[in-house]
Amino acid sequence: MRAITGLWRWRHNPLRRGTDLAEAWLCLAALLLVLVAGPVLGWLVGGVAQDALQRSVREQRESRHEVTATVVRELGRFPLDTDPETTAGRDLRSRVTADWTGPDGTAQHGTVLAALRSPHPGDHFTLWTDRHGRMAARPLDSATATTHAVLAGVGAALLTAGVVEAGRRLALWRMVRRRYARWDRAWDRAGPDWGRTGTGS
């Protein structure tokens, strides 16, 4: 708004300098870039991120499988959840030795984190594996992928606005420096006693 009022104010003002009008046009151009280029760039980045993340979701769903494991023995509590996609990140998980069968039919044995409060030998729980039965992270779900794509788009729009504003401030700073340099040259040409000419001093 300041850019628009600045342009309007300087339209027919007899005291208007070229730099004043240039500053107002610079502010208006920066405003238009923030309002138009920022959202467009954010939309494009969000769309590209959405396509890539949804493709990753499909690939992970094809390559990862949920299998049922059986507790052999409990090894103790584990206070942190290593899976960032779960909603109960602060729940205690139990570290257990377990047996499971991979999607390809191979028998597997290992130490895993089980979502069981007090596991006992023979208890069942689910875990994610690759197609060969090796443990894998939980696959990314579509809603989380969309959230990440939206955040990427918003981040791109905000980054664009920040870059445009930084460019505007840099250009304005250079314009002001040039103006001060011109004033210094004009002052040097006028001489040190320009205000006392003809006073006889």
Side-chain angles (χ1 to χ4, degrees):
M1 290 306 296
R2 193 172 65 186
I4 295 171
T5 56
L7 279 174
W8 184 261
R9 186 181 59 205
W10 289 115
R11 273 185 332 138
H12 302 296
N13 193 321
L15 299 177
R16 181 191 72 197
R17 298 168 296 191
T19 55
D20 295 327
L21 198 56
E23 285 177 19
W25 277 111
L26 176 66
C27 289
L28 180 61
L31 178 66
L32 290 176
L33 279 174
V34 167
L35 293 179
V36 175
V40 168
L41 191 61
W43 180 266
L44 291 174
V45 169
V48 169
Q50 174 75 341
D51 291 343
L53 287 170
Q54 292 301 335
R55 187 167 47 253
S56 179
V57 166
R58 288 190 297 274
E59 290 171 358
Q60 288 183 14
R61 282 183 181 166
E62 291 172 4
S63 65
R64 297 180 190 178
H65 306 275
E66 194 172 19
V67 299
T68 302
T70 304
V71 175
V72 175
R73 66 187 173 97
E74 182 183 8
L75 298 176
R77 295 272 183 200
F78 194 76
L80 297 175
D81 186 358
T82 59
D83 187 355
E85 302 302 326
T86 58
T87 55
R90 294 176 184 247
D91 290 348
L92 287 177
R93 290 187 161 230
S94 301
R95 213 161 54 98
V96 298
T97 301
D99 292 327
W100 67 92
T101 303
D104 60 353
T106 58
Q108 302 287 336
H109 179 83
T111 301
V112 297
L113 293 177
L116 299 171
R117 290 200 174 273
S118 53
H120 301 289
D123 287 349
H124 299 291
F125 63 96
T126 58
L127 58 86
W128 289 93
T129 67
D130 62 13
R131 60 177 54 96
H132 302 294
R134 293 186 296 263
M135 282 185 298
R138 180 189 186 96
L140 184 67
D141 64 271
S142 184
T144 303
T146 300
T147 302
H148 291 178
V150 168
L151 290 175
V154 170
L158 291 176
L159 181 63
T160 301
V163 168
V164 168
E165 177 61 14
R168 183 193 72 83
R169 287 178 182 264
L170 179 62
L172 191 60
W173 176 76
R174 293 189 63 169
M175 290 169 70
V176 169
R177 297 265 307 198
R178 280 200 295 269
R179 181 188 304 155
Y180 287 163
R182 282 196 301 269
W183 285 352
D184 287 342
R185 287 193 298 271
W187 182 264
D188 289 341
R189 283 193 304 270
D193 59 346
W194 63 273
R196 294 187 232 161
T197 305
T199 60
S201 58

